[in-house]
Amino acid sequence: MSPKLTTHLATLTPTPLKTATTHPFLTLAGKGLLPKQTLSSWLSQDRLYAQSYIRFIGSLLSKIHLPTTPKQTTTTSQKTVTILIDALVNIQRELSFFEDVAGEYGLELTVAAEGEGTFGPNPITHGYIDMFASAGNAAASVLEGLVVLWATEMCYLRAWRFARSVMEGGGEGEKGGLDGGALRERFIPNWTSGEFEEFVDGIGEVVDAWVGEMEDGKGKEEVVGRCERWWRQVIWLEERFWPDVNHLL
């Protein structure tokens, strides 16, 4: 029996995946050694990413065809709708959370990227926005869009779990940290919560369910191949998602 698609994808690019989820930015985050300016600049981009995520989820929802007659069991399409609605609720809550924590700890959410004169998406954030638009358009299947969603969320969870492991190993910064405690007190616990893990696992389950319902053959192989390309694109962006912090090491 072949492995689940999510299992296959997660082992497809081991070195880039590790690089993307153990970046020095995450180490400094766990130690409380990220200055407010550096954190604010990254949060500003993450917020723009989150806003584009809303449009992406909406495009996936618009593609799903629900059964016209009552079913005795919940279909994969219905499970997918539930997951996507959860995604919208979560991201709306997340945007409010950003604003609340930023206000509490004196962070800015409209900081221009380094080298940019005005606030807006940096090249990597633009890459995410373009990828979401492509994965959500009519030429891409629901499965491909779900793979992009799962890959981005899985990487985010794994990355902040790494930061949490650094934090729990003993931070080097002063109590609270250079950011005043925003990461270690609020952001890291939120991004490594059991609820978030369940959400990510739920996306993975519907990804594997969609593949499981496909008949074996050339058509399935072609779809899996496209999913592999989406995975590689996500990992490429994830590797470059974090700011360069070599000057802080």
Side-chain angles (χ1 to χ4, degrees):
M1 184 171 130
S2 59
K4 294 179 179 179
L5 179 59
T6 52
T7 302
H8 168 65
L9 294 176
T11 58
L12 195 61
T13 54
T15 299
L17 177 59
K18 182 178 180 180
T19 301
T21 56
T22 59
H23 192 277
F25 177 91
L26 297 163
T27 299
L28 293 180
K31 292 181 177 181
L33 296 177
L34 283 178
K36 285 188 176 183
Q37 178 69 17
T38 303
L39 177 57
S40 292
S41 179
W42 177 79
L43 285 172
S44 297
Q45 294 300 312
D46 200 39
R47 178 171 165 271
L48 294 176
Y49 159 91
Q51 290 176 335
S52 68
Y53 178 106
I54 293 174
R55 293 188 293 274
F56 172 51
I57 299 300
S59 68
L60 294 184
L61 279 168
S62 70
K63 295 181 183 184
I64 297 175
H65 300 287
L66 294 173
T68 55
T69 57
K71 300 290 183 180
Q72 293 296 323
T73 58
T74 305
T75 65
T76 298
S77 292
Q78 290 170 316
K79 291 178 181 177
T80 302
V81 167
T82 298
I83 282 288
L84 293 177
I85 290 174
D86 287 345
L88 285 176
V89 172
N90 291 344
I91 204 65
Q92 185 64 32
R93 186 188 302 120
E94 187 82 350
L95 288 169
S96 297
F97 178 66
F98 271 37
E99 294 177 4
D100 291 343
V101 177
E104 183 178 350
Y105 289 89
L107 303 170
E108 297 291 334
L109 294 176
T110 55
V111 176
E114 186 175 349
E116 300 290 335
T118 57
F119 172 65
N122 66 23
I124 297 303
T125 305
H126 265 302
Y128 275 110
I129 294 170
D130 291 343
M131 178 181 65
F132 283 158
S134 295
N137 71 25
S141 65
V142 172
L143 173 59
E144 291 171 69
L146 288 171
V147 164
V148 169
L149 175 62
W150 172 76
T152 56
E153 296 288 30
M154 187 274 280
C155 287
Y156 203 78
L157 174 62
R158 188 174 292 197
W160 288 109
R161 275 181 174 171
F162 171 74
R164 182 164 191 154
S165 72
V166 173
M167 177 179 73
E168 292 175 344
E172 295 180 3
E174 300 176 0
K175 183 177 180 180
L178 299 182
D179 64 350
L183 278 163
R184 295 193 290 181
E185 294 171 9
R186 300 295 301 279
F187 285 126
I188 292 176
N190 181 67
W191 295 329
T192 58
S193 68
E195 292 81 6
F196 183 41
E197 181 178 359
E198 289 177 9
F199 169 65
V200 176
D201 289 345
I203 305 170
E205 288 171 6
V206 295
V207 165
D208 291 328
W210 279 91
V211 178
E213 293 177 2
M214 298 176 65
E215 294 184 3
D216 292 334
K218 184 176 180 181
K220 184 175 181 178
E221 291 176 2
E222 290 176 350
V223 171
V224 170
R226 291 199 297 273
C227 290
E228 290 176 345
R229 289 192 289 275
W230 285 115
W231 168 265
R232 293 180 187 278
Q233 185 173 348
V234 170
I235 298 303
W236 189 92
L237 289 168
E238 289 288 336
E239 283 187 277
R240 293 155 180 79
F241 182 56
W242 313 105
D244 181 2
V245 293
N246 287 334
H247 62 290
L248 299 174
L249 298 175

